[in-house]
Every structure is written in C-alpha cells, then in structure tokens.
Amino acid sequence: MGGAADRWAQRQAARGIPERILRDAPADPWTHDAADFTPADVPADTPSRHAARALAERAAAWSCAGASVLDVGCGGGDAVFAAAWPDPSPVARVVGVDRQADMLAVFAAAARARDLPYATVQGSWPQAAGEAGRHDVVLCHHVLHNVVDLPPFLDALTAAARPAGGVVVEMLPEHPLAWLDPLWARFHDLHRPASATADDVVAVLGEELGIVPEVRTWERARRLPHDAAWVARRLCLPEDRAGEVAAALGDVTARTTTAVTLVWTGRT
Ligand SMILES: C[S@@+](CC[C@H](N)C(=O)[O-])C[C@H]1O[C@@H](n2cnc3c(N)ncnc32)[C@H](O)[C@@H]1O
C-alpha cells in the first residue's frame, strides 16, 4: 500500500470506539436506521445526480437498450433513484448492494413504486462484487468513510463499471461524525485524531489505480436528524443523558453541509 492508502487506513482505524466504551453502550452506535433512508419522490438536484444521469444517458445511447446502474452501499437507493428521475429515463435496471437487509427492503420497495426492474445483493463490498456483476454506471454515496482498506474497495467499483459509463462517488470532505469529536472528548475523555478526507481518496485513486477523478465540491441540504437522542446513541450514551447531550450540542459546530462528488470512467 502507498502513502495515501496508509494514511487513510490509519485515520479510519483511529475512528474506532474503544472496548471500554463499547462495552457499556446501550445500543449499536454504528447501525443506520433504514427509515431515515427512504428516497425522496423528487430528488435533490445535485452534481452527483447530474453526473450519474449524464453517464447513464451516454451508456444508453451507446447500447440502445437503457443503462444498468449499480448502487453500492445503496441504503434506500437515494443515489440511483435520483439518477433515474425524471421520466423518460435512460436507466433501465437498478441493482442495490448493502450489508443491511432492512436497507435493501427500502430499496426494493422504492424500485417497485417506480416500476423499475431491480435486483438486490446483501453483502459487503468488495466481497459482494462478483454477485453484483458489471454495470454501465456504478454509484457509491456516503460509504467510503465506513471503509479502512480503500484500494480494493475503489478497484472493485472501477472494475464493476463498463467503459462507456463510469463511477460516481459522493462523500463529505471529512468523516460524517467528525463534528462530534468535541463531545467524545467531553463525555468519554476520548481525543480523536484528524479525520480521513475526500482529498485522501483522490490521492489513493491516483497512487493506487492511476485514476484522476473529476472533483466537484458543493453545498447540500441537511439530511439526517441530529437531535440529542440520535447523538447520544452515536456517543454510546443512554437516552436518559439526552438532556446533557442537548446542552453540550450548543457548543458544537454542526456537521458540514459541504459535499464532494468524484467521477471517473469505467474499465475496459
Ligand atoms: C450512510 S449510508 C448511505 C446510504 C445511501 N448510499 C445514501 O447516500 O443515502 C451507508 C450505507 O452503506 C452500507 N455499507 C457500509 N459499508 C458497506 C460495505 N462495505 N458494503 C456494503 N454496504 C455497506 C450501510 O449498511 C449503509 O446502508
């Protein structure tokens, strides 16, 4: 592994929660609630949606058969259903990969509601790549900060995309929970090092795969609820400490609304 991949892995590994804290956590601090990931009927108009739509249109024109789009770490499919909207759509088939079965149930319901042919693969990327197959467009939104070993993850995204299409990654410039670092120090005396960044991903792509992605940095609307009970769970604290958390949140800068879109072409 090169310098950027090592830096990413070290920064990500340092985001782990120590056993002494995890032991007393009343609920799993990592698992996402699938109900928060139902895709909007009318998606946000973002650079990621534009990039995915343009790649799907190009692939559909090339094949004359409509584009097949894979969504890795799909959640409810926000990324892929945004690319498929509005009709007439170049997207003919969608496939969602996620390790959470409840997310795939939301994805499947959304595909049925939109009358889009679909498949789901429950598993962890890149291990699930073989079952997921190759597609015209590969999307991966807000997943990279769950990954420690980045090169095989990015390599599998690239290999899954046909050359007429490409890959669209969306992420925050730093770890989505980095804004809670001051509260880890306050409630657990845990002092976290700097977060892995989107710039690190660009460096890993260049050093490990020889890929120079197109990079777009933009502002998005806030998505997840950040009330005190939600934050208390992330901090491994019981719900009855939500009042203390609410007070502490007053001293914390809210999570950034800056987002980054990375786009590159698939492999021949
Ligand atoms: C923050 S959510 C983002 C969901 C969706 N892409 C979106 O933008 O709304 C991250 C999702 O990625 C899934 N996930 C994380 N790491 C994964 C991996 N290595 N393989 C497959 N799914 C993964 C999680 O289960 C979760 O559903």
Side-chain angles (χ1 to χ4, degrees):
M1 248 192 321
D6 277 341
R7 186 169 62 244
W8 174 275
Q10 280 162 17
R11 288 176 164 180
Q12 282 291 95
R15 293 256 134 213
I17 299 174
E19 186 49 40
R20 70 177 166 90
I21 298 174
L22 216 41
R23 207 175 28 231
D24 297 331
D28 180 347
W30 298 119
T31 305
H32 294 288
D33 186 347
D36 291 334
F37 288 86
T38 302
D41 288 340
V42 176
D45 197 19
T46 69
S48 305
R49 190 184 87 76
H50 279 267
R53 181 85 177 189
L55 288 171
E57 275 164 0
R58 193 174 74 188
W62 182 265
S63 70
C64 301
S68 148
V69 184
L70 174 67
D71 192 345
V72 175
C74 59
D78 197 63
V80 77
F81 296 121
W85 182 92
D87 281 329
S89 170
V91 178
R93 182 167 184 264
V94 297
V95 176
V97 176
D98 205 289
R99 53 190 184 197
Q100 278 185 229
D102 55 355
M103 290 288 191
L104 293 174
V106 176
F107 180 95
R112 283 194 296 269
R114 290 160 177 78
D115 231 1
L116 256 174
Y118 75 95
T120 58
V121 177
Q122 187 181 357
S124 215
W125 194 266
Q127 293 80 7
E131 195 179 338
R134 286 195 99 195
H135 299 268
D136 298 308
V137 185
V138 176
L139 311 177
C140 184
H141 287 198
H142 304 287
V143 182
L144 296 193
H145 274 114
N146 291 296
V147 179
V148 173
D149 189 6
L150 204 50
F153 192 100
L154 295 173
D155 189 47
L157 291 181
T158 309
R162 296 189 185 110
V167 181
V168 181
V169 161
E170 183 179 300
M171 63 188 299
L172 301 190
E174 59 178 13
H175 193 285
L177 296 180
W179 66 289
L180 295 180
D181 286 359
L183 299 189
W184 282 104
R186 182 159 171 169
F187 286 100
H188 294 291
D189 197 24
L190 180 67
H191 300 270
R192 293 201 178 280
S195 165
T197 67
D199 289 343
D200 292 333
V201 176
V202 174
V204 173
L205 280 168
E207 285 179 17
E208 300 288 330
L209 303 177
I211 290 169
V212 181
E214 183 192 318
V215 182
R216 293 278 308 274
T217 302
W218 48 282
E219 296 298 317
R220 67 175 194 159
R222 241 173 254 295
R223 281 172 60 181
L224 289 176
H226 290 148
D227 60 35
W230 185 92
V231 173
R233 179 174 159 185
R234 302 289 146 193
L235 293 173
C236 299
L237 296 172
E239 234 180 292
D240 62 12
R241 297 192 67 186
E244 281 173 76
V245 171
L249 277 172
D251 301 333
V252 170
T253 308
R255 183 163 88 176
T256 179
T257 53
T258 303
V260 181
T261 300
L262 309 176
V263 186
W264 65 94
T265 48
R267 191 168 285 161
T268 45

